[in-house]
Amino acid sequence: MTGTASTPMVDARGVHKYYGSNEVIKGIDLTVRTGEVTCLLGPSGSGKSTFLRCINHLEKINAGSISVDGELVGYRQHNGRLHELRDAEIADRRSQIGMVFQQFNLFPHMTVLENLVEAPVQVRREKAKDAAERGRDLLARVGLAEKADAYPRSLSGGQQQRVAIARALNMRPKLMLFDEPTSALDPELVGEVLDVMRGLADDGMTMIVVTHEIGFAREVADTVTFMDGGVVVESGPPEQVLDDPQRQRTRSFLAKVL
């Protein structure tokens, strides 16, 4: 079952995350509508990446709730309490959420196309032929049609990250999460990855992007959310948060990165 047209794609309420006694997420609320792009900004250690990983249950939350398209992620609710789902159910729900990491995490012993085909076949039990056909279309979309039979080691960092995006898209996700996808790239390769992400935004893909690319956030985001110390300090349209921030902490951060 999925949500209705009025259901937020992501709805996080009162999310807390601890590592031992260290509280890294301190009661975050966040709503992302279908088709919107939200960029998370903030200094290192502010909890951005941890929160992103909580959305697809790579990290378990300690309090609050997160739903994607109307369904709780990683849990079911019974008698007012949350109960963790079985691994197979978690994997099924997670398969609807694409994630692209700082490091490309491609399988080095597989060709580019084999990297794209693996998850649809193993997780969703698709026919390899169908997954490969869609994979080739996605490689063309990210400008790498000629690299289908290449191995990751022969690609530049920017090319590998574009393959990683295509691999995530081949699962036909409802939502894409990007965890600083350009931070491991040489500066001259950043643009080619951001161009792919701009194309996804133009196509209406719902995206949450942890990034330090302020220009990208200004151009593409519907909402910019500034985090620090595990809380949301300020959130709103890019022209408000980036050009006229209301909080001193936001102004201080932007003064250092702009």
Side-chain angles (χ1 to χ4, degrees):
M1 180 179 176
T2 56
T4 65
S6 61
T7 303
M9 181 58 72
V10 178
D11 193 26
R13 290 286 165 258
V15 175
H16 291 258
K17 173 64 183 176
Y18 291 84
Y19 293 110
S21 62
N22 182 27
E23 186 180 19
V24 294
I25 302 293
K26 304 174 181 177
I28 284 183
D29 296 332
L30 184 77
T31 300
V32 182
R33 300 286 174 186
T34 299
E36 287 186 345
V37 178
T38 293
C39 286
L40 302 182
L41 307 181
S44 297
S46 59
K48 309 181 302 297
S49 295
T50 298
F51 178 65
L52 203 70
R53 292 169 65 88
C54 289
I55 292 173
N56 67 355
H57 203 62
L58 287 176
E59 298 283 357
K60 298 178 184 181
I61 64 176
N62 297 106
S65 66
I66 302 174
S67 62
V68 172
D69 200 20
E71 289 190 326
L72 290 171
V73 178
Y75 302 91
R76 62 181 174 84
Q77 192 163 30
H78 182 67
N79 291 334
R81 299 188 64 179
L82 296 181
H83 303 268
E84 191 167 18
L85 297 174
R86 295 190 300 269
D87 288 348
E89 294 173 296
I90 292 172
D92 179 63
R93 293 193 185 179
R94 188 181 287 146
S95 72
Q96 302 174 47
I97 306 170
M99 187 157 185
V100 177
F101 300 88
Q102 297 178 37
Q103 301 299 330
F104 324 121
N105 296 335
L106 300 177
F107 297 116
H109 61 288
M110 293 182 179
T111 67
V112 164
L113 186 60
E114 287 169 346
N115 267 277
L116 268 65
V117 169
E118 179 74 3
V121 170
Q122 296 300 324
V123 177
R124 291 205 160 169
R125 305 302 181 197
E126 290 189 29
K127 294 180 179 178
K129 179 176 178 290
D130 294 339
E133 182 177 338
R134 195 171 62 247
R136 289 186 185 277
D137 289 342
L138 286 166
L139 288 175
R141 178 177 178 175
V142 301
L144 293 171
E146 77 286 358
K147 299 294 186 181
D149 298 322
Y151 285 88
R153 63 180 176 272
S154 70
L155 306 180
S156 71
Q159 289 172 330
Q160 290 188 58
Q161 193 62 293
R162 284 186 280 157
V163 171
I165 294 172
R167 179 177 62 178
L169 291 173
N170 208 23
M171 290 291 283
R172 293 178 288 183
K174 302 175 178 181
L175 167 69
M176 285 287 288
L177 308 176
F178 293 87
D179 187 7
E180 299 191 29
T182 61
S183 66
L185 301 178
D186 292 334
E188 65 268 24
L189 302 178
V190 168
E192 63 190 51
V193 173
L194 294 181
D195 284 345
V196 171
M197 294 170 65
R198 287 187 186 96
L200 292 178
D202 289 342
D203 290 344
M205 174 61 74
T206 312
M207 299 159 56
I208 303 178
V209 185
V210 173
T211 185
H212 293 293
E213 301 289 343
I214 304 298
F216 174 82
R218 186 190 304 278
E219 177 186 351
V220 175
D222 296 288
T223 301
V224 171
T225 296
F226 174 67
M227 290 178 58
D228 189 31
V231 301
V232 171
V233 176
E234 189 164 351
S235 187
E239 59 271 19
Q240 174 193 313
V241 176
L242 298 178
D243 298 331
D244 188 24
Q246 303 302 298
R247 300 298 183 92
Q248 178 56 41
R249 182 66 188 93
T250 313
R251 291 194 290 269
S252 173
F253 172 79
L254 292 172
K256 294 175 182 176
V257 299
L258 288 177

